[in-house]
Amino acid sequence: MTLDNGKLPRYETELSIPFHDIDMMQVAWHGHYVRYLEIARCTLLDALDYNYPQMQASGFAWPVIDLRLRYAAPALFAQRIAIEARLSEWENRLKIDYTIRDAHTRKRLTRAWSVQVAVGIEDREMRLESPPVLRERLLAWQEANQ
């Protein structure tokens, strides 16, 4: 079966901004957004059955080598947010695009993306293309989600 790049996975996860994430103005501190993205990324990777334990078992680590965030509006204490994670590239790297929205109004709060690359656990060498196991997991996901 051929992998359909037009049908790559996307998942949305929701959470409420906890008290310990806010500053004195009741705004989520900008550094916590990385954790929100990680929660969404793990939801996406779980759907592929290729989250960090499976990556390690396949012989690869996938370090984040680039991360960008653009804040449009603040997330506030107790606000329910929806974080969408969309796989946008997989052939040579794992690029995931994110949109954080207010879960109720759907107003966009933040856009972001992260890039990860495959690194062999034994040789610590970066791979110039994603290992076949990622393609296999994507094919399995597409077959299950037709």
Side-chain angles (χ1 to χ4, degrees), residues 59-72:
F60 298 97
W62 288 79
V64 172
I65 62 164
D66 200 358
L67 176 68
R68 306 279 171 101
L69 289 104
R70 177 141 178 106
Y71 305 96

Side-chain angles (χ1 to χ4, degrees), residues 93-105:
R93 60 191 192 163
L94 196 60
K95 183 177 182 208
I96 301 173
D97 298 319
Y98 308 89
T99 304
I100 299 177
R101 297 180 184 281
D102 179 280
H104 302 294
T105 67

Side-chain angles (χ1 to χ4, degrees), residues 58-126:
S58 72
F60 298 97
W62 288 79
V64 172
I65 62 164
D66 200 358
L67 176 68
R68 306 279 171 101
L69 289 104
R70 177 141 178 106
Y71 305 96
L76 306 171
F77 172 60
Q79 181 177 16
R80 190 100 185 131
I81 60 171
I83 309 120
E84 181 187 53
R86 300 172 306 282
L87 181 63
S88 59
E89 294 179 30
W90 64 271
E91 293 93 343
N92 304 97
R93 60 191 192 163
L94 196 60
K95 183 177 182 208
I96 301 173
D97 298 319
Y98 308 89
T99 304
I100 299 177
R101 297 180 184 281
D102 179 280
H104 302 294
T105 67
R106 306 304 291 171
K107 177 183 176 185
R108 181 175 51 85
L109 305 175
T110 306
R111 282 196 183 137
W113 50 264
S114 64
V115 174
Q116 296 169 255
V117 294
V119 173
I121 291 174
E122 289 192 19
D123 62 12
R124 296 188 180 258
E125 292 290 322
M126 184 174 77

